[in-house]
Amino acid sequence: MHSEGGGKQEAAAEVSVAPIVGAGRSERGVVVVLRDVTELRGMARAVSYQASHDALTGLSNRAAFEGRLQQLLEELRESPRQHALCFLDLDQFKLVNAACGHQAGDALLQQVARLLQRHVRETDCAARLGADEFGILLMDCDLASAHFRFHWESHTFKVSASIGLVPLDADSTPAALAAAESSCLIAKEQGRGRVHVASPRDERLAVRHGEARWTQ
């Protein structure tokens, strides 16, 4: 379909066909009805996008991220590969909100989202999991530390991120996300701006899991 400006514009249509039956039940022709459903399809896509994406950053939301993780774990049982799950928490994010207000905090989160989108590949998945928490699924690779500077009006903040990194393989379980979050907390306790890689023999991670279960 062509628009008035000469460019091409896609349109969606539903087609229904009914026969015209004459005497003796012979077909005399057909009636074809076209219904323009372009707007309805667009509304459906918008609703689907809103249900799976974070409104502020445009990244996937937590529900979509957990769904993708579950799908990936199922795929790993059929085709063993090596991926990585990353839980990222901005260090001292509350200081930005306190010093410059929530508008500055929102701008920081949007800048972090753009940074993640630039550095992850199309096969990867980046999501906003909480207020200042992000998740990344990295296919066939691991993750290094992220560090950048954020500028807001006359202020310059050196913002670092604490990262929990969990290798994903055929033996991984849905508890991998909780392990990544616990690893992120350990990284914070170690001094922030660090990456803590989870391992089966990690005593600190086992303690963290015990604390989490007790709290729940």
Side-chain angles (χ1 to χ4, degrees):
M1 179 177 178
H2 292 276
S3 63
E4 294 180 359
K8 290 184 178 180
Q9 182 179 354
E10 292 186 357
E14 287 184 351
V15 182
S16 59
V17 181
I20 300 175
V21 180
R25 302 187 62 81
S26 61
E27 292 189 6
R28 305 286 298 276
V30 295
V31 175
V32 180
V33 178
L34 296 176
R35 181 187 176 207
D36 187 355
V37 294
T38 305
E39 184 175 355
L40 291 175
R41 294 280 178 86
M43 292 173 61
R45 284 195 296 267
V47 171
S48 177
Y49 181 89
Q50 292 170 0
S52 60
H53 288 76
D54 174 60
L56 177 65
T57 63
L59 298 177
S60 296
N61 59 25
R62 190 180 188 102
F65 185 81
E66 290 178 346
R68 179 69 185 96
L69 174 60
Q70 180 61 35
Q71 179 186 1
L72 183 61
L73 293 175
E74 293 174 359
E75 292 173 356
L76 282 171
R77 297 188 186 98
E78 301 295 330
S79 177
R81 294 159 64 188
Q82 182 68 59
H83 310 304
L85 166 62
C86 172
F87 189 98
L88 186 152
D89 191 325
L90 300 184
D91 295 327
Q92 300 177 327
F93 173 74
K94 292 181 180 179
L95 293 180
V96 178
N97 277 339
C100 297
H102 290 285
Q103 185 178 1
D106 288 349
L108 170 57
L109 294 173
Q110 290 170 335
Q111 183 169 331
V112 171
R114 289 194 296 270
L115 179 69
L116 295 179
Q117 288 171 326
R118 283 201 306 268
H119 291 284
V120 299
R121 301 158 299 171
E122 291 185 1
T123 55
D124 301 330
C125 177
R128 184 185 178 198
L129 302 182
D132 60 342
E133 300 167 342
F134 298 85
I136 309 171
L137 285 172
L138 294 166
M139 310 300 291
D140 301 303
C141 68
D142 54 15
L143 183 69
S145 181
H147 215 258
F148 65 99
R149 289 183 178 273
F150 172 66
H151 299 274
W152 177 258
E153 295 178 351
S154 60
H155 302 277
T156 299
F157 297 91
K158 186 174 183 181
V159 182
S160 62
S162 298
I163 297 172
L165 182 63
V166 176
L168 296 179
D169 53 34
D171 297 324
S172 298
T173 69
L177 183 56
E181 186 171 1
S182 297
S183 297
C184 179
L185 292 174
I186 293 172
K188 277 187 175 293
E189 292 171 352
Q190 291 176 332
R192 298 186 174 90
R194 298 171 182 267
V195 177
H196 184 83
V197 181
S199 69
R201 294 178 297 277
D202 192 333
E203 294 181 0
R204 286 170 297 184
L205 187 59
V207 171
R208 272 291 175 189
H209 271 301
E211 292 176 350
R213 284 195 295 270
W214 180 85
T215 302
Q216 293 167 0

